[in-house]
Amino acid sequence: MSRRDGLTPEDRRIWARVTGTVTPAKARKAARVMVAASAEAPPVPRTAAPLAKTPTRPAPVAAAAAPPSAQRARGHPEELEPRRQRRLARERDPIEARIDLHGYGRFQAQDALTAFLAGAQARGYRSVLVITGQGRRGGSGVIRASVHEWLQAPALRGVVSGFAPAARHHGGDGALYVTIRRG
């Protein structure tokens, strides 16, 4: 702890990861507070020029009302189409690369997955297999539980177009087919 704030480089890395997953809250208008006029303070005469009006923007459209094509344009990965998933399961569409996240810690697995998917996109791959494992003693492992969130994170929205559970012979519940956007 050589820094005066007491954070190690590892602490800073973890904090940067946490803050990267948070989206800022929408700004809310402040509530108007009406102050009762007191007898001690005389009213201030208005001799100053009125404030210039700021241009107003149209109200944003709710995401629920937006058509699916608008949501797709924002880059949210979707569930794979059943036909595409079936073609991957039967190996009619090739699985061009695989990553096995067994043995990684949570943050190491996320870093490895992000680097792997970015590299796959750079190489022009269209579909990959991500093996997460099923967790200890058949429970839901940390990596398996987190991988859906990672694939939908802003860092991978430009990379991942969709994902779905893999067929039994590719790993079943412990693996995912991931389709990659064109770079």
Side-chain angles (χ1 to χ4, degrees), residues 2 12 26 38 42-43 48 52 56 59 73 83 91 108 113 115 121 143 176 181:
S2 62
R12 291 185 181 286
K26 292 183 181 178
S38 65
T56 58
R83 183 171 177 234
E91 298 181 7
Q108 296 158 337
L113 179 65
Q121 184 183 36
I143 295 172
L176 294 170
R181 293 183 194 280

Side-chain angles (χ1 to χ4, degrees), residues 77 99 101 106 109-110 112-114 116-117 129-133 140-153 156 160 163-165 173-178:
I99 184 169
L101 300 176
R106 182 180 193 278
Q110 186 177 6
L113 179 65
T114 302
F116 170 75
L117 292 174
L129 182 68
V130 176
I131 302 167
T132 61
S140 179
V142 174
I143 295 172
R144 179 179 166 204
S146 303
V147 76
H148 287 73
E149 180 183 322
W150 299 341
L151 293 172
Q152 293 176 343
L156 291 175
V160 176
F163 56 91
D173 291 336
L176 294 170
Y177 297 125
V178 179

Side-chain angles (χ1 to χ4, degrees):
M1 291 193 193
S2 62
R3 304 192 66 78
R4 62 185 160 113
D5 59 1
L7 296 177
T8 64
E10 179 68 13
D11 292 337
R12 291 185 181 286
R13 187 180 71 80
I14 292 171
W15 183 248
R17 241 183 214 296
V18 170
T19 57
T21 62
V22 176
T23 56
K26 292 183 181 178
R28 296 182 184 172
K29 290 186 178 181
R32 281 192 170 172
V33 178
M34 301 300 260
V35 179
S38 65
E40 299 170 1
V44 178
R46 283 206 150 237
T47 57
L51 295 174
K53 275 191 161 183
T54 58
T56 58
R57 285 186 245 152
V61 179
S69 61
Q71 289 176 348
R72 194 172 301 127
R74 282 187 274 167
H76 290 283
E78 298 179 347
E79 192 71 24
L80 284 183
E81 301 164 355
R83 183 171 177 234
R84 173 72 187 231
Q85 186 176 357
R86 202 168 31 251
R87 289 181 63 81
L88 286 167
R90 294 178 181 169
E91 298 181 7
R92 295 212 171 104
D93 284 350
I95 296 173
E96 297 164 307
R98 300 167 195 261
I99 184 169
D100 189 346
L101 300 176
H102 283 99
Y104 285 98
R106 182 180 193 278
F107 294 122
Q108 296 158 337
Q110 186 177 6
D111 289 341
L113 179 65
T114 302
F116 170 75
L117 292 174
Q121 184 183 36
R123 288 182 204 98
Y125 294 164
R126 298 293 295 140
S127 57
V128 296
L129 182 68
V130 176
I131 302 167
T132 61
Q134 294 188 359
R136 293 193 178 149
R137 297 181 198 101
S140 179
V142 174
I143 295 172
R144 179 179 166 204
S146 303
V147 76
H148 287 73
E149 180 183 322
W150 299 341
L151 293 172
Q152 293 176 343
L156 291 175
R157 283 194 189 146
V159 178
V160 176
S161 66
F163 56 91
R168 182 176 232 181
H169 65 278
H170 284 138
D173 291 336
L176 294 170
Y177 297 125
V178 179
T179 55
I180 310 289
R181 293 183 194 280
R182 292 198 171 123

